[in-house]
Amino acid sequence: MKIVVGEGSCGIAAGAEKVRQALLTKDLNGAELTIAGCIGMCYLEPIVDIYEEGKDVLRLVHVTADDADKIAAYAKTGSIDEIKDLIVKDEDKEFLEKQTRIALRRCGIINPDEIEDFVANDGYTALKKVVCEMTPEEVIEEIKVSGLAGRGGAGFPTWFKWNAARQSEDEEKYLICNADEGDPGAFMDRAVIESDPHNLIEGMLIGAYAIGAKNAVVYVRAEYPLAIKRLERAIKQATEAGYLGDNIFGTDFSCTMTIKAGAGAFVCGEETALIESLEGHRGMPRLKPPFPAQSGYWRKPSNINNVETFANVSWIINNGGSAFSAMGTEGSKGTKVFAVTGKVKRSGLVEIPMGKTLRDVIFDIGGGMKGDKEFKAVQMGGPSGGCIPASLIDTVIDYKALGATGAIMGSGGMVVMDQGTCMVNMAKFFLDFTAKESCGKCIHCRIGTTRMLEILTRITEGKGKEGDIELLEELCYGIKDGALCGLGQTAPNPVLTTIKYFRDEYEAHINDKKCPSGECSALIEYSIDKDACRGCTLCARNCPVDAISGSVKNPHTIDTAKCIKCGKCLESCKFGAVIKK
């Protein structure tokens, strides 16, 4: 028997480490106690999987340290009665059963700290095949056949970038992994590095072989300490085992790998800004051309792909490019990983073939809306993406179809919203992020996003005026046309899509000074219906600023001058006497 505790960042944050420590103190009847990374079912953490020979994995969810005795009892008796209250429900099993996992195929299954687990699960077999049996040109051709596009957001053909770097004549070349992942709500790359770091290493080594690079660099955000720790360990193990370093598999192919921890600037997700940061400069984009394939890191030919892109490479080599291209749509091949968050019942990591619909992900896999509320919109592509309304929920997930809505695929962030979400406020949230993250190099982005944020702030505070919507649109198109890099060019997307699909909400804020979703605090007012109030005093006792007055068994009143609109009164009232309008 093997007992596996899921210790990705999400699991640890939920208490998985405490669970494992508690299990260490118990008699597990000889069962092996180990860890894995994130299986993707973040909403069920902490998760403990029990493996027994000849049996399906027994998955326990929402496990606490207090449950260690139950698990120990099961290890001794084998009786399900000991742990039946912890076993995952059938409907939750659908979350994984309806996915197709390639990039995430080992995540949550193997121990990320042990290279032996990776090797036992076909690890480094693709690398051996490549360096011992294939030419660099054959590798690039296989990637071309697969149709693998960059998963960092732009969707540029991977083989084309590899081929461009391959054809550069300079002997010194660099293979770089972009693991900056700065989108709010996105955690796909983090999960891959934490859960299957050797998969990233193998994919990068294959890419390095294809372009002729002897040096590989992983640029990862410093806010991912666990990912960095596990990747450092994996690099050391791979080097000691001979998969990294000189004369790999006894051939003349040699490659080293290092890690650079970035300071967390969103703009460093843009490849030339990332290169500037790697070189020790402030992260600001370079003018292109020349492209990195001709002049990149230290002005040498360089190739940059993100974590998920590299995570697909070894599978493609082992299974063939045609097997990968058989999945997806005509213009978007293979699978895509999404970080599904927000007002959805089952939040976590979802990997599905391109061609599925938003409905498939949100309702079929994600289980629908929390509290069974009405679905309103989904933000795709993070701050660079856009809001897709409920009327377009059957949109196919591929680059072309999502682009037609005004959103983008992006790196895979998917934030689900219900009717309680104000779309003007949502646009303001993302503009606040991009305005702060602008590197300031070009005026359109630096000044334009700031002016847009000022207008959106005024609107959400009830100070909007006629012409604000038109001015926002004018600024959006000006920034898109004039910004130097992708951050500025896509920053207006959340505003443009919310205006396009939810213009009535903007008009309500400006003309009626009302927030239809009841989210903008400046436009909310709380009052108490005297006929419904029973004078229980609960609202007054829960008010943090003493804005509610009244005696026991007599109607209460709210002093609107003192009220901070926190909603505590509404939450505490059991008689429906508190009115929000």
Side-chain angles (χ1 to χ4, degrees):
M1 181 185 294
K2 183 166 70 172
I3 300 172
V4 182
V5 182
E7 290 200 16
S9 287
C10 51
I12 293 172
E17 177 62 16
K18 293 178 181 178
V19 171
R20 187 168 67 88
Q21 291 300 324
L23 287 170
L24 283 171
T25 66
K26 306 300 178 183
D27 178 7
L28 300 178
N29 197 33
E32 177 188 357
L33 179 62
T34 185
I35 67 166
C38 176
I39 194 71
M41 307 172 83
C42 305
Y43 70 106
L44 295 177
E45 297 284 5
I47 295 173
V48 174
D49 288 338
I50 300 177
Y51 292 85
E52 295 182 78
E53 191 173 345
K55 294 183 180 181
D56 292 336
V57 60
L58 187 61
R59 178 155 293 141
L60 313 181
V61 300
H62 295 310
V63 183
T64 69
D66 293 337
D67 295 320
D69 286 324
K70 297 179 182 178
I71 296 172
Y74 174 77
K76 292 178 181 178
T77 66
S79 172
I80 291 294
D81 291 339
E82 305 287 356
I83 54 172
K84 61 183 179 182
D85 58 323
L86 301 174
I87 297 174
V88 65
K89 297 177 181 177
D90 288 341
E91 56 264 33
D92 288 315
K93 291 180 182 179
E94 296 177 354
F95 182 83
L96 289 179
E97 291 171 350
K98 294 185 177 181
Q99 298 185 38
T100 300
R101 295 196 148 203
I102 294 178
L104 302 179
R105 61 192 180 278
R106 300 187 193 91
C107 293
I109 296 172
I110 66 169
N111 185 335
D113 285 336
E114 302 299 335
I115 191 173
E116 293 81 8
D117 268 18
F118 179 74
V119 172
N121 284 270
D122 293 325
Y124 292 117
T125 56
L127 176 63
K128 184 176 182 179
K129 178 180 179 180
V130 162
V131 300
C132 296
E133 302 175 20
M134 301 174 71
T135 66
E137 290 75 18
E138 287 173 335
V139 174
I140 293 173
E141 179 61 26
E142 200 67 57
I143 299 300
K144 182 179 181 179
V145 169
S146 75
L148 176 65
R151 296 301 195 242
F156 199 76
T158 301
W159 79 269
F160 192 92
K161 293 179 74 171
W162 287 16
N163 193 53
R166 175 72 190 172
Q167 293 179 347
S168 295
E169 296 181 357
D170 201 308
E171 288 188 8
E172 186 178 357
K173 299 177 183 179
Y174 291 91
L175 191 286
I176 301 169
C177 174
N178 181 352
D180 193 49
E181 193 168 53
D183 288 9
F187 49 95
M188 302 77 61
D189 293 350
R190 186 202 74 205
V192 170
I193 300 175
E194 289 179 355
S195 307
D196 195 6
H198 287 282
N199 188 29
L200 172 60
I201 294 172
E202 185 174 23
M204 290 183 67
L205 285 170
I206 292 169
Y209 176 80
I211 72 170
K214 295 181 180 179
N215 299 285
V217 184
V218 182
Y219 185 95
V220 59
R221 59 187 304 175
E223 293 94 333
Y224 286 173
L226 182 61
I228 293 173
K229 178 183 176 182
R230 287 181 176 169
L231 185 58
E232 286 176 338
R233 180 182 173 92
I235 289 173
K236 181 181 179 182
Q237 290 176 337
T239 302
E240 291 173 349
Y243 300 117
L244 262 172
D246 296 329
N247 305 115
I248 297 170
F249 285 112
T251 67
D252 59 1
F253 172 57
S254 301
C255 186
T256 61
M257 188 173 294
T258 56
I259 299 172
K260 165 70 174 180
F266 181 63
V267 72
C268 288
E270 196 277 334
E271 59 183 13
T272 62
L274 183 153
I275 290 171
E276 285 288 301
S277 179
L278 270 179
E279 293 179 357
H281 307 303
R282 182 180 177 186
M284 302 176 81
R286 296 175 180 174
L287 285 169
K288 293 184 288 189
F291 294 95
Q294 288 78 46
S295 178
Y297 188 36
W298 301 126
R299 306 297 168 177
K300 299 295 183 180
S302 306
N303 182 88
I304 303 178
N305 293 111
N306 86 320
V307 175
E308 187 185 340
T309 308
F310 285 122
N312 284 294
V313 169
S314 61
W315 190 95
I316 291 170
I317 295 299
N318 279 332
N319 294 275
S322 57
F324 190 82
S325 65
M327 295 178 281
T329 64
E330 182 62 31
S332 302
K333 302 297 186 182
T335 61
K336 180 72 188 78
V337 181
F338 292 97
V340 183
T341 61
K343 303 298 180 64
V344 66
K345 289 179 180 177
R346 304 172 191 159
S347 58
L349 290 172
V350 173
E351 184 173 2
I352 45 103
M354 300 276 201
K356 293 285 187 178
T357 66
L358 293 172
R359 185 188 298 275
D360 291 332
V361 174
I362 297 169
F363 284 90
D364 201 20
I365 297 175
M369 308 302 293
K370 284 183 179 178
D372 294 322
K373 293 183 179 179
E374 187 178 350
F375 169 69
K376 185 174 187 177
V378 58
Q379 172 77 11
M380 294 286 296
S384 303
C387 288
I388 301 175
S391 59
L392 298 178
I393 193 171
D394 291 310
T395 298
V396 170
I397 296 174
D398 69 10
Y399 290 100
K400 184 177 180 180
L402 290 176
T405 69
I408 61 173
M409 182 87 70
S411 59
M414 188 180 289
V415 183
V416 182
M417 293 165 272
D418 62 22
Q419 292 298 321
T421 304
C422 172
M423 304 314 293
V424 184
N425 198 45
M426 178 60 68
K428 188 186 92 171
F429 169 81
F430 284 113
L431 251 293
D432 179 65
F433 179 85
T434 48
K436 289 175 179 175
E437 292 292 335
S438 173
C439 74
K441 186 169 185 175
C442 57
I443 294 173
H444 290 79
C445 180
R446 182 179 74 245
I447 304 299
T449 55
T450 302
R451 296 289 87 85
M452 288 174 66
L453 179 59
E454 290 171 352
I455 296 169
L456 288 166
T457 300
R458 278 198 291 103
I459 293 174
T460 57
E461 291 177 349
K463 301 173 184 176
K465 55 189 178 182
E466 187 176 347
D468 275 349
I469 299 175
E470 291 73 20
L471 181 55
L472 279 171
E473 290 176 318
E474 182 181 345
L475 284 167
C476 283
Y477 292 117
I479 295 169
K480 287 179 79 72
D481 292 340
L484 176 62
C485 80
L487 185 151
Q489 292 163 6
T490 58
N493 285 347
V495 178
L496 285 172
T497 52
T498 50
I499 290 176
K500 179 179 180 180
Y501 299 117
F502 301 96
R503 193 183 187 95
D504 58 327
E505 290 198 26
Y506 280 83
E507 292 172 345
H509 281 72
I510 295 170
N511 301 329
D512 304 329
K513 309 302 179 188
K514 296 289 184 183
C515 175
S517 301
E519 190 176 59
C520 296
S521 60
L523 303 178
I524 297 171
E525 184 175 295
Y526 288 95
S527 61
I528 296 177
D529 183 344
K530 292 183 178 180
D531 293 331
C533 181
R534 298 291 184 268
C536 70
T537 75
L538 267 178
C539 59
R541 281 182 279 156
N542 282 280
C543 179
V545 292
D546 296 324
I548 302 176
S549 59
S551 57
V552 178
K553 296 185 179 181
N554 288 303
H556 285 47
T557 58
I558 298 176
D559 184 341
T560 55
K562 285 185 178 181
C563 179
I564 60 172
K565 302 169 184 179
C566 65
K568 291 291 185 181
C569 54
L570 183 64
E571 294 174 11
S572 60
C573 183
K574 298 180 179 180
F575 304 102
V578 178
I579 301 169
K580 177 183 177 181
K581 60 180 179 180

